[in-house]
Every structure is written in structure tokens, then in C-alpha cells.
Amino acid sequence: MLLSARLCRFILPAGLALLLGACQPASHAPATVTTPMPTAAAPSRVDDFRQLRDALYHQRRAEVKTRFGLPLAMMDGNQLAAFCHGDAKGAAPATFDAAQFDRCYGRLFPPPFIQLLLKVKSDVLFNKGYFDQAPLLVGEGKASLIATLEGDHLTLMYNTQSESKLSETETSMMHHWQFEQGQLRYLGLQLAD
């Protein structure tokens, strides 16, 4: 009992001093609260994808053209120049320039491609890395678009199927894009028949 009375005599004042000390600021100068200045946030990758989609929909070719980094060198597997040249299997120019872009824009981004692109739910694409949708009926055939996102690489695979009484044709165009400093840049095109 004697020990606890001695402890209480020392602990109580020490505890009270700690409690009162914690309630007072360390210095007697008035405390200042600083709030960070708001800064303009860089557009997110989702926003940039939406801006590209909007530019394609509204036919703002000049805005889309800036994403191609023209002239674009044709590396192995890039069939963009050959596609625009008219023969994906034959000899094609070594670069893809602004004149080819202007001449080929409608073939690269046909209306069904843009209609399907508008239906891509960007939040789903960027959260799951994949977006697929029901085909769109086009004339005697159908078109579909599958979007995949792996890291900074976006692939838009556009498939068309034409069916007639005499034949059936299927074509796939894979547009490859890369995020560079938050903005999509066009890498190239692959074709499959």
C-alpha cells in the first residue's frame, strides 16, 4: 500500500504535466495552416482516350494527325503505308506521311469503326484492360471492335464480315496506340484477312 501511494504521488503529477503539455503548442508562436495552391491536373489517360474518340467522331483530322508523329517510319509488321497504298502485300513506301494520312483517313477510320469506338466504355476498358461489344450490322455484314489495354499499349481490333450469296469475306484491322507522357500516339496497323 505504501508503494502505490508513493507511485501515485509521482505518477499523477507527471501524467498531468504530460497531458497539459500535449494540449499546448510547442512554441508560443501562432500556428499557421498552409493550404496547397491548386494546380492544373494533367489529363488522365482515360480523358486522353475520350479526347481521341471525340476527335475521330467529329472528324477533326488535324487533331488526330498530331497523334501520328508524321512522317511515321514503317517498321516490321506495320502495314499502314501498304494499306493506304492499296496493296497490303506489295511494296509500300518506307514512311507514312501527311498526304497519305489525308488520302487514307476514311479507310483507316470508317464510320462503323467510329460508331463502335463511341460505344467503348472507357471506365471498363481502363479498369479491366478489355472491352468487347455486340457486333454492329453494316449492309450485308457486320462489324465489331475489341479494345485491349496492356500497360501503356492500346489495341483497337476492328473486324468486318461481309456475307453475300457468292462469298464471305472477313477482314481485321488492328490499330496499335501507345501512351507517351499521358497522350495516345499511333504506332501502326496490322491487317489480317
Side-chain angles (χ1 to χ4, degrees):
M1 187 78 130
L2 184 62
L3 185 60
S4 62
R6 284 185 182 166
L7 283 175
C8 286
R9 196 171 37 172
F10 291 109
I11 292 175
L12 188 59
L16 196 56
L18 282 173
L19 183 64
L20 291 175
C23 294
Q24 295 180 4
S27 69
H28 295 291
T32 58
V33 177
T34 58
T35 56
M37 295 292 293
T39 57
S44 72
R45 294 175 0 152
V46 174
D47 292 337
D48 190 66
F49 172 76
R50 290 175 180 158
Q51 289 171 2
L52 171 65
R53 185 173 58 188
D54 191 55
L56 286 165
Y57 174 67
H58 291 290
Q59 299 287 314
R60 293 193 302 256
R61 292 180 184 207
E63 186 177 332
V64 175
K65 189 186 295 188
T66 63
R67 295 172 181 267
F68 273 68
L70 300 173
L72 186 63
M74 296 296 99
M75 306 302 255
D76 290 337
N78 189 349
Q79 298 170 312
L80 181 61
F83 174 74
C84 291
H85 190 257
D87 182 10
K89 309 270 190 268
T95 59
F96 182 78
D97 61 20
Q100 289 171 306
F101 175 87
D102 291 334
R103 187 173 58 250
C104 191
Y105 182 87
R107 288 181 60 213
L108 280 172
F109 308 113
F113 172 86
I114 294 171
Q115 287 176 332
L116 289 163
L117 186 62
L118 290 173
K119 294 180 181 182
V120 171
K121 301 211 180 320
S122 51
D123 293 336
V124 172
L125 173 62
F126 282 83
N127 286 327
K128 293 186 177 181
Y130 181 83
F131 187 83
D132 191 5
Q133 57 191 299
L136 177 69
L137 296 176
V138 180
E140 294 181 4
K142 55 188 172 181
S144 63
L145 182 73
I146 299 171
T148 58
L149 181 66
E150 295 179 20
D152 288 337
H153 189 90
L154 173 68
T155 301
L156 300 173
M157 185 166 62
Y158 175 63
N159 299 306
T160 58
Q161 291 178 327
S162 298
E163 300 173 11
S164 69
K165 294 178 183 177
L166 300 174
S167 67
E168 184 177 320
T169 308
E170 185 172 350
T171 306
S172 293
M173 292 173 41
M174 294 176 64
H175 293 278
H176 296 279
W177 301 81
Q178 180 81 28
F179 278 102
E180 293 177 3
Q181 298 175 354
Q183 187 175 30
L184 279 169
R185 297 282 181 212
Y186 194 81
L187 293 179
L189 177 73
Q190 286 180 299
L191 301 172
D193 292 327

